[in-house]
Amino acid sequence: MATLGHTFPFYAGPKPTFPMDTTLASIIMIFLTALATFIVILPGIRGKTRLFWLLRVVTSLFIGAAILAVNFSSEWSVGQVSTNTSYKAFSSEWISADIGLQVGLGGVNITLTGTPVQQLNETINYNEEFTWRLGENYAEEYAKALEKGLPDPVLYLAEKFTPRSPCGLYRQYRLAGHYTSAMLWVAFLCWLLANVMLSMPVLVYGGYMLLATGIFQLLALLFFSMATSLTSPCPLHLGASVLHTHHGPAFWITLTTGLLCVLLSLAMAVAHRMQPHRLKAFFNQSVDEDPMLEWSPEEGGLLSPRYRSMADSPKSQDIPLSEASSTKAYCKEAHPKDPDCAL
Protein backbone atom coordinates (compact mmCIF):
# COMPACT_ATOMS: atom_id res chain seq x y z
CA MET A 1 0.00 0.00 0.00
CA ALA A 2 2.99 2.31 0.33
CA THR A 3 3.26 2.60 -3.44
CA LEU A 4 -0.31 3.90 -3.51
CA GLY A 5 0.36 6.60 -0.91
CA HIS A 6 -1.36 4.70 1.94
CA THR A 7 -4.72 4.82 0.14
CA PHE A 8 -6.96 2.00 -0.98
CA PRO A 9 -7.24 1.52 -4.74
CA PHE A 10 -10.51 2.39 -6.52
CA TYR A 11 -11.65 4.53 -3.55
CA ALA A 12 -11.87 8.29 -3.59
CA GLY A 13 -9.53 10.13 -1.28
CA PRO A 14 -10.58 12.58 1.41
CA LYS A 15 -12.44 15.59 0.11
CA PRO A 16 -10.53 18.89 0.35
CA THR A 17 -12.07 21.37 2.77
CA PHE A 18 -12.31 25.12 2.25
CA PRO A 19 -10.43 27.01 5.00
CA MET A 20 -13.47 29.18 5.86
CA ASP A 21 -17.23 29.40 5.44
CA THR A 22 -18.12 29.89 1.78
CA THR A 23 -20.86 32.42 2.61
CA LEU A 24 -18.42 34.59 4.57
CA ALA A 25 -15.85 34.20 1.80
CA SER A 26 -18.41 35.39 -0.77
CA ILE A 27 -19.33 38.44 1.31
CA ILE A 28 -15.68 39.37 1.83
CA MET A 29 -14.90 38.95 -1.87
CA ILE A 30 -17.85 41.15 -2.90
CA PHE A 31 -16.82 44.01 -0.64
CA LEU A 32 -13.14 43.65 -1.52
CA THR A 33 -14.08 43.84 -5.19
CA ALA A 34 -16.07 47.01 -4.52
CA LEU A 35 -13.13 48.47 -2.61
CA ALA A 36 -10.72 47.62 -5.43
CA THR A 37 -13.06 49.29 -7.92
CA PHE A 38 -13.11 52.50 -5.89
CA ILE A 39 -9.33 52.44 -5.50
CA VAL A 40 -8.91 52.15 -9.28
CA ILE A 41 -10.82 55.41 -9.85
CA LEU A 42 -9.09 57.13 -6.92
CA PRO A 43 -6.32 58.78 -9.04
CA GLY A 44 -9.00 60.70 -10.93
CA ILE A 45 -9.87 62.69 -7.79
CA ARG A 46 -7.68 65.70 -7.05
CA GLY A 47 -6.62 67.48 -3.90
CA LYS A 48 -7.70 66.75 -0.34
CA THR A 49 -10.97 65.40 -1.65
CA ARG A 50 -9.14 62.19 -2.57
CA LEU A 51 -8.21 61.45 1.05
CA PHE A 52 -11.69 62.33 2.34
CA TRP A 53 -13.32 60.21 -0.35
CA LEU A 54 -11.11 57.19 0.40
CA LEU A 55 -11.80 57.46 4.14
CA ARG A 56 -15.56 57.58 3.54
CA VAL A 57 -15.51 54.59 1.18
CA VAL A 58 -13.35 52.39 3.43
CA THR A 59 -15.40 53.18 6.54
CA SER A 60 -18.73 52.59 4.80
CA LEU A 61 -17.65 49.31 3.19
CA PHE A 62 -16.26 48.06 6.51
CA ILE A 63 -19.56 48.74 8.29
CA GLY A 64 -21.65 47.06 5.58
CA ALA A 65 -19.34 44.03 5.33
CA ALA A 66 -19.28 43.61 9.12
CA ILE A 67 -23.09 43.66 9.39
CA LEU A 68 -23.54 41.03 6.68
CA ALA A 69 -20.63 38.85 7.82
CA VAL A 70 -21.71 38.56 11.45
CA ASN A 71 -25.27 37.77 10.34
CA PHE A 72 -24.00 34.59 8.64
CA SER A 73 -21.19 33.86 11.09
CA SER A 74 -21.19 30.79 13.34
CA GLU A 75 -18.98 32.36 16.01
CA TRP A 76 -21.39 34.25 18.25
CA SER A 77 -20.75 31.86 21.12
CA VAL A 78 -17.64 29.67 21.05
CA GLY A 79 -15.85 27.16 23.22
CA GLN A 80 -12.96 24.73 22.93
CA VAL A 81 -11.39 22.06 25.12
CA SER A 82 -8.58 19.53 24.81
CA THR A 83 -9.39 16.21 26.44
CA ASN A 84 -9.24 12.43 26.26
CA THR A 85 -12.62 11.02 25.33
CA SER A 86 -14.27 7.97 23.81
CA TYR A 87 -14.25 7.85 20.04
CA LYS A 88 -17.09 5.59 18.88
CA ALA A 89 -20.22 4.19 20.45
CA PHE A 90 -19.99 0.69 21.92
CA SER A 91 -16.20 0.91 21.88
CA SER A 92 -13.69 1.18 24.71
CA GLU A 93 -11.09 3.02 22.61
CA TRP A 94 -10.23 6.55 23.63
CA ILE A 95 -8.58 9.38 21.70
CA SER A 96 -6.84 12.63 22.52
CA ALA A 97 -8.50 15.47 20.64
CA ASP A 98 -9.37 19.17 20.49
CA ILE A 99 -13.13 19.66 20.52
CA GLY A 100 -14.63 22.98 19.42
CA LEU A 101 -18.17 24.35 19.53
CA GLN A 102 -19.31 27.41 17.57
CA VAL A 103 -22.89 28.63 17.96
CA GLY A 104 -24.24 31.04 15.35
CA LEU A 105 -27.55 32.68 14.61
CA GLY A 106 -28.64 29.82 12.34
CA GLY A 107 -27.10 26.72 13.90
CA VAL A 108 -24.10 25.12 15.55
CA ASN A 109 -20.76 23.97 14.19
CA ILE A 110 -18.83 21.17 15.95
CA THR A 111 -15.19 20.35 15.26
CA LEU A 112 -13.15 17.33 16.36
CA THR A 113 -9.44 17.26 15.64
CA GLY A 114 -7.21 14.54 16.96
CA THR A 115 -3.89 15.35 18.63
CA PRO A 116 -2.22 13.93 16.62
CA VAL A 117 -4.62 13.72 13.69
CA GLN A 118 -3.66 10.12 12.90
CA GLN A 119 -4.98 7.85 15.65
CA LEU A 120 -6.44 4.33 15.67
CA ASN A 121 -5.43 3.98 12.01
CA GLU A 122 -7.81 6.84 11.13
CA THR A 123 -7.67 10.52 10.27
CA ILE A 124 -9.59 12.22 13.05
CA ASN A 125 -10.62 15.57 11.61
CA TYR A 126 -14.36 16.34 11.65
CA ASN A 127 -16.25 19.56 11.02
CA GLU A 128 -20.02 19.11 11.24
CA GLU A 129 -22.78 21.72 10.97
CA PHE A 130 -26.35 21.47 12.31
CA THR A 131 -28.75 24.29 11.40
CA TRP A 132 -32.12 25.51 12.66
CA ARG A 133 -32.80 28.25 10.12
CA LEU A 134 -36.24 28.66 8.59
CA GLY A 135 -36.93 25.69 6.38
CA GLU A 136 -34.32 23.50 8.14
CA ASN A 137 -35.07 20.67 10.54
CA TYR A 138 -32.46 20.24 13.24
CA ALA A 139 -33.88 16.90 14.42
CA GLU A 140 -33.58 15.42 10.92
CA GLU A 141 -29.99 16.54 10.60
CA TYR A 142 -29.20 14.97 13.94
CA ALA A 143 -30.86 11.72 12.86
CA LYS A 144 -28.73 11.67 9.69
CA ALA A 145 -25.62 12.19 11.83
CA LEU A 146 -26.59 9.12 13.88
CA GLU A 147 -26.97 7.10 10.68
CA LYS A 148 -23.56 8.22 9.46
CA GLY A 149 -21.99 7.03 12.69
CA LEU A 150 -20.19 10.22 13.63
CA PRO A 151 -17.84 10.15 16.62
CA ASP A 152 -19.25 10.26 20.14
CA PRO A 153 -18.09 13.82 21.03
CA VAL A 154 -19.80 15.27 17.94
CA LEU A 155 -23.05 13.42 18.60
CA TYR A 156 -22.96 14.30 22.30
CA LEU A 157 -22.71 18.06 21.63
CA ALA A 158 -25.24 17.92 18.80
CA GLU A 159 -27.72 16.08 21.05
CA LYS A 160 -27.56 18.90 23.61
CA PHE A 161 -29.07 21.26 21.01
CA THR A 162 -31.93 19.02 19.88
CA PRO A 163 -35.51 20.21 20.56
CA ARG A 164 -36.13 17.32 22.99
CA SER A 165 -32.99 17.90 25.05
CA PRO A 166 -33.69 18.85 28.69
CA CYS A 167 -31.00 21.53 28.49
CA GLY A 168 -33.28 23.82 26.46
CA LEU A 169 -30.38 25.08 24.35
CA TYR A 170 -32.36 24.68 21.12
CA ARG A 171 -35.14 27.09 22.12
CA GLN A 172 -32.68 29.42 23.79
CA TYR A 173 -30.27 29.90 20.90
CA ARG A 174 -32.89 29.59 18.17
CA LEU A 175 -34.92 32.42 19.70
CA ALA A 176 -31.79 34.51 20.13
CA GLY A 177 -30.75 33.86 16.54
CA HIS A 178 -34.09 34.89 15.03
CA TYR A 179 -34.34 38.22 16.84
CA THR A 180 -30.66 39.06 16.46
CA SER A 181 -30.72 38.31 12.75
CA ALA A 182 -33.83 40.48 12.29
CA MET A 183 -32.15 43.44 14.02
CA LEU A 184 -29.03 43.02 11.88
CA TRP A 185 -31.07 43.05 8.67
CA VAL A 186 -32.76 46.28 9.76
CA ALA A 187 -29.32 47.72 10.56
CA PHE A 188 -28.16 46.77 7.06
CA LEU A 189 -31.12 48.58 5.49
CA CYS A 190 -30.35 51.66 7.59
CA TRP A 191 -26.76 51.49 6.37
CA LEU A 192 -27.96 51.50 2.75
CA LEU A 193 -30.20 54.52 3.40
CA ALA A 194 -27.35 56.31 5.18
CA ASN A 195 -25.12 55.89 2.12
CA VAL A 196 -27.83 57.27 -0.16
CA MET A 197 -28.49 60.31 2.05
CA LEU A 198 -24.80 61.07 2.60
CA SER A 199 -24.39 61.35 -1.17
CA MET A 200 -27.13 64.00 -1.25
CA PRO A 201 -27.32 67.48 0.34
CA VAL A 202 -29.12 66.05 3.39
CA LEU A 203 -26.11 65.14 5.51
CA VAL A 204 -27.91 65.52 8.83
CA TYR A 205 -30.46 62.88 7.88
CA GLY A 206 -27.67 60.61 6.70
CA GLY A 207 -26.18 60.99 10.17
CA TYR A 208 -29.52 60.03 11.70
CA MET A 209 -29.64 56.84 9.62
CA LEU A 210 -26.06 56.05 10.63
CA LEU A 211 -27.13 56.45 14.25
CA ALA A 212 -30.05 54.06 13.60
CA THR A 213 -27.58 51.58 12.11
CA GLY A 214 -25.54 51.57 15.30
CA ILE A 215 -28.60 51.41 17.57
CA PHE A 216 -30.03 48.37 15.79
CA GLN A 217 -26.70 46.58 16.05
CA LEU A 218 -26.60 47.24 19.78
CA LEU A 219 -30.20 46.03 20.04
CA ALA A 220 -29.14 42.83 18.29
CA LEU A 221 -26.49 42.30 20.96
CA LEU A 222 -29.04 42.99 23.68
CA PHE A 223 -31.49 40.41 22.27
CA PHE A 224 -28.73 37.81 21.91
CA SER A 225 -27.44 38.35 25.44
CA MET A 226 -30.90 38.31 26.99
CA ALA A 227 -32.10 35.23 25.12
CA THR A 228 -28.96 33.23 25.89
CA SER A 229 -29.16 34.06 29.60
CA LEU A 230 -32.79 33.05 30.12
CA THR A 231 -31.85 29.57 31.30
CA SER A 232 -29.04 28.27 33.44
CA PRO A 233 -25.97 27.04 31.53
CA CYS A 234 -26.00 23.38 30.58
CA PRO A 235 -22.79 21.52 31.54
CA LEU A 236 -21.03 19.91 28.59
CA HIS A 237 -18.87 17.06 29.92
CA LEU A 238 -16.35 15.61 27.50
CA GLY A 239 -14.25 12.96 29.17
CA ALA A 240 -12.71 14.45 32.28
CA SER A 241 -13.13 18.04 31.03
CA VAL A 242 -16.03 20.47 30.78
CA LEU A 243 -16.58 22.63 27.71
CA HIS A 244 -17.42 26.25 28.55
CA THR A 245 -18.70 28.75 25.99
CA HIS A 246 -18.22 32.50 25.81
CA HIS A 247 -18.95 35.35 23.40
CA GLY A 248 -17.15 34.87 20.12
CA PRO A 249 -15.58 37.20 17.51
CA ALA A 250 -18.93 37.92 15.81
CA PHE A 251 -20.34 39.34 19.05
CA TRP A 252 -17.39 41.68 19.60
CA ILE A 253 -17.24 42.75 15.95
CA THR A 254 -20.91 43.71 16.13
CA LEU A 255 -20.28 45.67 19.32
CA THR A 256 -17.33 47.49 17.78
CA THR A 257 -19.21 48.32 14.56
CA GLY A 258 -22.29 49.50 16.46
CA LEU A 259 -20.27 51.82 18.70
CA LEU A 260 -18.40 53.11 15.65
CA CYS A 261 -21.67 54.00 13.91
CA VAL A 262 -22.97 55.78 17.01
CA LEU A 263 -19.75 57.78 17.47
CA LEU A 264 -19.61 58.77 13.79
CA SER A 265 -23.24 59.92 13.84
CA LEU A 266 -22.66 62.00 16.98
CA ALA A 267 -19.55 63.54 15.42
CA MET A 268 -21.58 64.44 12.33
CA ALA A 269 -24.29 66.05 14.48
CA VAL A 270 -21.72 68.16 16.33
CA ALA A 271 -20.00 69.16 13.07
CA HIS A 272 -23.36 70.04 11.53
CA ARG A 273 -24.02 72.48 14.37
CA MET A 274 -20.53 73.87 14.87
CA GLN A 275 -18.73 73.61 11.51
CA PRO A 276 -21.24 72.95 8.71
CA HIS A 277 -18.80 74.21 6.04
CA ARG A 278 -16.13 71.67 6.96
CA LEU A 279 -18.69 68.89 7.11
CA LYS A 280 -19.87 69.69 3.57
CA ALA A 281 -16.28 69.94 2.40
CA PHE A 282 -15.56 66.50 3.86
CA PHE A 283 -18.47 65.07 1.87
CA ASN A 284 -17.41 66.99 -1.26
CA GLN A 285 -20.40 69.31 -1.27
CA SER A 286 -19.27 72.83 -2.26
CA VAL A 287 -20.76 75.97 -0.72
CA ASP A 288 -20.50 79.52 -2.18
CA GLU A 289 -18.44 82.07 -0.28
CA ASP A 290 -21.24 84.67 -0.15
CA PRO A 291 -22.84 84.28 3.28
CA MET A 292 -26.18 85.56 1.92
CA LEU A 293 -26.33 82.58 -0.46
CA GLU A 294 -25.19 79.82 1.93
CA TRP A 295 -27.56 77.19 3.15
CA SER A 296 -28.80 77.52 6.67
CA PRO A 297 -27.21 75.10 9.18
CA GLU A 298 -30.68 74.31 10.48
CA GLU A 299 -32.15 70.98 9.50
CA GLY A 300 -34.81 72.46 7.22
CA GLY A 301 -32.27 74.77 5.58
CA LEU A 302 -30.68 71.82 3.81
CA LEU A 303 -33.83 71.33 1.79
CA SER A 304 -34.64 75.01 1.16
CA PRO A 305 -34.15 76.31 -2.40
CA ARG A 306 -31.43 78.78 -3.30
CA TYR A 307 -32.27 82.04 -5.11
CA ARG A 308 -30.08 84.43 -7.00
CA SER A 309 -29.67 87.82 -5.37
CA MET A 310 -30.80 90.98 -7.17
CA ALA A 311 -27.23 92.25 -7.30
CA ASP A 312 -26.11 89.22 -9.37
CA SER A 313 -29.10 89.31 -11.74
CA PRO A 314 -28.36 90.97 -15.10
CA LYS A 315 -30.02 94.36 -15.50
CA SER A 316 -32.88 94.39 -17.96
CA GLN A 317 -32.23 96.51 -21.03
CA ASP A 318 -35.65 97.84 -22.03
CA ILE A 319 -35.81 99.44 -25.49
CA PRO A 320 -38.61 101.93 -26.04
CA LEU A 321 -41.19 100.80 -28.60
CA SER A 322 -41.06 104.07 -30.59
CA GLU A 323 -37.27 103.88 -30.92
CA ALA A 324 -37.43 100.28 -32.06
CA SER A 325 -40.07 101.00 -34.75
CA SER A 326 -38.18 104.04 -36.16
CA THR A 327 -34.97 102.05 -36.41
CA LYS A 328 -36.78 99.30 -38.31
CA ALA A 329 -38.33 101.79 -40.82
CA TYR A 330 -34.96 103.45 -41.50
CA CYS A 331 -33.36 100.06 -42.14
CA LYS A 332 -36.03 99.14 -44.72
CA GLU A 333 -35.56 102.44 -46.62
CA ALA A 334 -31.75 102.32 -46.66
CA HIS A 335 -31.35 98.60 -47.33
CA PRO A 336 -34.54 97.22 -48.86
CA LYS A 337 -32.86 93.97 -50.03
CA ASP A 338 -31.25 93.16 -46.68
CA PRO A 339 -33.03 90.06 -45.21
CA ASP A 340 -32.24 91.23 -41.66
CA CYS A 341 -34.22 94.45 -42.21
CA ALA A 342 -37.16 92.50 -43.59
CA LEU A 343 -37.63 90.67 -40.22
Side-chain angles (χ1 to χ4, degrees), residues 83-102:
T83 185
N84 295 321
T85 180
S86 60
Y87 181 51
K88 293 286 187 178
F90 308 106
S91 175
S92 59
E93 295 177 333
W94 284 52
I95 61 171
S96 175
D98 294 331
I99 304 172
L101 175 65
Q102 296 88 32

Side-chain angles (χ1 to χ4, degrees), residues 211-228:
L211 177 62
T213 304
I215 290 177
F216 279 110
Q217 291 182 79
L218 298 180
L219 285 177
L221 298 178
L222 180 62
F223 281 125
F224 184 82
S225 300
M226 290 180 60
T228 54

